[in-house]
Amino acid sequence: MQREPRQSSNPPTRDPEAGIAHSGRVGVLGAGQLGRMLALSGHALGLELVFLDPAPDAPAGQLAPQIVASYTDSQALEWLAASDVVTYEFESVPVVAAEALEVRARVAPPSKALRVAQDRLSEKECFRELGIPTPDFFAVSSEAELRAGVAELGYPCVLKTRRLGYDGKGQRVLRSAEQAALAFAELGASPLILERFIEFERELSLIAVRSRGGETAFYPLVENHHRDGILRLTRAPAPGLTAELQTLVEGYVRRLMERLEYVGVLALELFERHGELIANELAPRVHNSGHFSIEGAETSQFENHLRAVMGWPLGSTAVPEPCAMLNCVGQMPSTEEVLRVPGAHLHAYGKSPRPGRKLGHVTLTGASELEARIATLSAMPGTG
Ligand code: AMP
């Protein structure tokens, strides 16, 4: 269903249909699948969610009011500012939009979290300042700086654009001077960062939430598997997770959230190598590796994000039994076949198929024969 851009002078009203009482209104920048899952969770809490996204066919706009306009449209921001709180589900929204909203409305997480997370350099500098291990890195804006960085780090190393990289886009692993020159020719128009290549054993992430009053809660660390830079499978909790590892990362994330005066859900992605954890990236929002929490945790990351930004008590992050989440990428598997798998919960995002596009996910709950059920799903088109 496509919505016409809202161009009238009437903003989305608090009670669009007379008689509907809401427990509050949340404005959201971005209306992708994360917004859609926030909307589903918000409805259960009696919240009204209103989205702003320039894409007329955005997944959240199929379920909730969406203002179709650019993120810097002043009228659209005015409408969003009439919410109890404004949040975001997309970290590449212009920081100026969040700052403009902050003058008029409560915004959570704060714009400074967005500013730090949007630039891989400031993100890694923040990790370093807080004593959070991160790969050695150098800012690169010329071929001479690239050569100097490579001389320090050696091959292989990783060259990334500082901004707007996601799902492995805007980055190259460099293994030779030829590859370095080629990568610089491709990416060098943007400011870059060169990182040490980490020979990790596995990738993990921690989803955390912080309330307005500074209360924190942490989901168990999860194990993530990527292909072509795109998350395919999450196991929750990460197999073999120890209390020591969990406590170590919780300490890192608590420091980060305090530094950023954070309110809402945040994800930290890490590499594990010889029992050491090295922070790669932070996401100032709900995160793909936290989707398991919808059915797998006592409170989902979406509900906890809304609880936090609304100033409500946080919910339990306990994961009673091991579970898994598989992304549907490029195409959706057959609904019937997925639902035949015991403990499978299908989520379709209402997006048209395109290679490499995340279209949905499947969560597998219940510890019994979990690996066998992961294998069954992995053999299906889209979830493989
Ligand atoms: P990113 O966009 O930074 O999350 O990177 C996407 C994926 O590339 C990560 O999930 C890793 O699999 C890989 N990667 C990124 N940075 C490094 C690094 N410094 N060393 C090894 N692999 C990396």
Side-chain angles (χ1 to χ4, degrees):
M1 179 175 65
Q2 279 203 260
R3 280 168 190 269
E4 286 302 308
R6 285 182 191 260
Q7 288 169 338
S8 80
S9 56
N10 298 321
T13 57
R14 179 172 285 274
D15 292 321
E17 289 159 52
I20 297 181
H22 296 290
S23 55
R25 179 169 169 204
V26 180
V28 186
L29 294 163
Q33 63 263 21
L34 302 178
R36 184 178 171 109
M37 289 181 269
L38 278 173
L40 288 166
S41 193
H43 277 294
L45 291 168
L47 286 167
E48 181 194 19
L49 272 76
V50 177
F51 293 86
L52 169 60
D53 193 305
D57 56 352
Q62 299 168 14
L63 304 185
Q66 180 193 341
I67 305 161
V68 181
S70 95
Y71 292 120
T72 48
D73 182 299
S74 53
Q75 174 70 84
L77 293 176
E78 190 93 7
W79 286 341
L80 271 202
S83 309
D84 293 287
V85 62
V86 180
T87 188
Y88 29 84
E89 61 91 74
F90 173 56
E91 78 232 45
S92 296
V93 292
V95 175
V96 288
E99 285 170 345
L101 282 163
E102 257 166 358
V103 176
R104 279 172 276 172
R106 186 188 283 276
V107 176
S111 63
K112 72 172 166 185
L114 203 58
R115 184 180 290 285
V116 168
Q118 279 184 359
D119 180 351
R120 291 182 192 274
L121 184 66
S122 57
E123 182 179 62
K124 291 209 155 60
E125 282 169 347
C126 179
F127 293 156
R128 194 181 261 176
E129 272 172 37
L130 295 173
I132 301 170
T134 194
D136 294 333
F137 60 90
F138 294 93
V140 166
S141 52
S142 67
E143 275 198 90
E145 283 180 351
L146 177 58
R147 276 193 297 274
V150 168
E152 287 288 326
L153 299 178
Y155 295 114
C157 48
V158 190
L159 188 65
K160 302 179 179 178
T161 55
R162 280 170 52 181
R163 295 180 169 275
L164 297 174
Y166 69 100
D167 286 349
K169 293 188 175 66
Q171 60 176 275
R172 304 280 182 279
V173 177
L174 311 182
R175 296 179 190 279
S176 66
E178 296 73 50
Q179 286 183 356
L182 192 65
F184 190 82
E186 285 171 3
L187 306 176
S190 313
L192 304 172
I193 182 171
L194 184 72
E195 294 176 13
R196 187 180 294 285
F197 184 86
I198 306 297
E199 297 278 1
F200 55 80
E201 283 128 28
R202 60 177 178 168
E203 295 189 72
L204 302 171
S205 59
L206 188 81
I207 313 290
V209 59
R210 186 168 184 267
S211 73
R212 275 189 206 166
E215 180 197 352
T216 51
F218 303 90
Y219 291 90
L221 269 166
V222 298
E223 178 186 291
N224 299 318
H225 296 260
H226 297 83
R227 202 170 67 243
D228 302 328
I230 302 174
L231 180 68
R232 303 291 167 147
L233 167 67
T234 295
R235 286 192 178 89
L241 178 60
T242 60
E244 290 72 31
L245 213 57
Q246 179 76 21
T247 306
L248 181 69
V249 187
E250 286 185 11
Y252 295 160
V253 174
R254 191 174 287 113
R255 264 181 266 165
L256 255 180
M257 294 200 297
E258 278 167 14
R259 166 65 62 95
L260 299 173
E261 296 172 76
Y262 203 85
V263 175
V265 164
L266 173 146
L268 182 67
E269 295 181 55
L270 308 114
F271 304 131
E272 184 178 16
R273 187 188 54 184
H274 313 317
E276 187 195 7
L277 289 170
I278 303 162
N280 175 37
E281 198 170 31
L282 96 89
R285 54 170 171 77
V286 287
H287 192 255
N288 195 171
S289 68
H291 292 356
F292 75 88
S293 63
I294 297 176
E295 292 92 2
E298 285 183 4
T299 313
S300 80
Q301 62 165 348
F302 301 98
E303 179 174 334
N304 257 334
H305 183 72
L306 292 171
R307 285 175 178 235
V309 300
M310 286 299 294
W312 293 338
L314 302 181
S316 163
T317 48
V319 175
E321 277 193 291
C323 58
M325 189 280 318
L326 292 96
N327 269 339
C328 308
V329 180
Q331 60 178 312
M332 286 299 288
S334 142
T335 300
E336 249 189 272
E337 284 191 24
V338 169
L339 299 184
R340 204 167 282 138
V341 179
H345 304 271
L346 180 65
H347 297 254
Y349 305 153
K351 290 161 80 174
S352 48
R354 202 188 295 156
R357 197 174 201 206
K358 292 174 186 167
L359 304 175
H361 74 266
V362 182
T363 300
L364 290 171
T365 52
S368 165
E369 300 191 348
L370 184 56
E371 290 305 317
R373 289 182 290 133
I374 291 172
T376 304
L377 271 164
S378 299
M380 296 182 191
T383 41

